Amino acid sequence: MNHAQYEKGITMKNGFALLLVLCLATTAKAELQLYDIDGQGKVAIRGDLKTDLWVTLSAGQGASVSNFVVGPEAPEASLYFTNASDLPEFLGGPVPSGFEGECWLLATYPGEAYKPGTYLTADVTLTKLQETVEWVEVVTDGCPPGAYRYRYHTDFVEIQTGTLSLITYDELQFQRTANVFVLDSRAVVFSTYIDGPCPEPATLALFGLGFGFIRRRR
């Protein structure tokens, strides 16, 4: 087909869904969950603590975490302990190979009650990639009655990907729990299409004659 004869169309997809596709996983006994809190690259560690707990959040395979902040319901003695990559074995280490993040102690002062809620937040950055997806549909736009043509689409897709690791360690019960969250977001950010030509009237007439001939033979 002659590309000079094609009719062209361009569409923009306004905005795109960001970021995190998090499968919520509850850690045993610690009852902590990892949440995407605003759809803009920030996660929260939430739950209902029953005991002091070591918590390590790290990222790898295209993701990174930064700007850790103690949440409003965190126990008052909570503090930063060490980089995730330096987490000792007796506190629930090691983290997955190549992952970086932070380890925190969520701890109460004597007589302080635990409160359910948000204990830590952190910013998450994912790796951004792009791919092109081509597909075809049949349309009747601008064609004579009974005729159709092919519309050739090209979608430009933004991919954001990475992995988070959440490890908790209860030093009273010597219990280590680890969960891995694979993040994968795909969104069409720009799309174009090119319409092929409709059949010429003469071609349609030939189709009609051929169809009539087949019916007479039957």
Side-chain angles (χ1 to χ4, degrees), residues 31-187:
E31 298 180 2
L32 295 188
Q33 294 178 325
L34 189 65
Y35 288 87
D36 169 21
I37 60 176
D38 62 5
Q40 298 295 320
K42 188 181 289 290
V43 294
I45 298 174
R46 295 174 178 165
D48 188 3
L49 285 178
K50 304 301 182 185
T51 184
D52 291 355
L53 201 67
W54 298 91
V55 177
T56 303
L57 178 63
S58 61
Q61 297 177 339
S64 62
V65 285
S66 60
N67 300 325
F68 283 73
V69 177
V70 174
E73 288 77 39
E76 293 184 7
S78 298
L79 53 81
Y80 165 76
F81 177 69
T82 187
N83 290 327
S85 56
D86 297 328
L87 185 65
E89 188 76 31
F90 70 89
L91 291 182
V95 300
S97 177
F99 279 50
E100 298 290 341
E102 295 184 4
C103 174
W104 285 70
L105 172 62
L106 303 181
T108 57
Y109 286 118
E112 179 188 356
Y114 297 101
K115 295 181 291 185
T118 298
Y119 303 131
L120 280 174
T121 64
D123 293 338
V124 178
T125 302
L126 302 182
T127 293
K128 294 183 179 181
L129 306 171
Q130 280 197 342
E131 69 177 16
T132 301
V133 178
E134 297 180 343
W135 54 285
V136 180
E137 68 173 330
V138 176
V139 298
T140 59
D141 299 355
C143 293
Y148 64 87
R149 59 179 165 185
Y150 295 105
R151 176 167 291 173
Y152 301 88
H153 292 265
T154 301
D155 293 339
F156 298 90
V157 181
E158 183 175 79
I159 303 169
Q160 302 189 70
T161 185
T163 303
L164 299 181
S165 168
L166 178 63
I167 297 173
T168 63
Y169 183 75
D170 182 344
E171 62 182 345
L172 295 180
Q173 299 190 34
F174 306 102
Q175 182 175 4
R176 177 185 187 272
T177 304
N179 288 286
V180 173
F181 305 86
V182 178
L183 315 179
D184 192 309
S185 173
R186 296 168 181 262

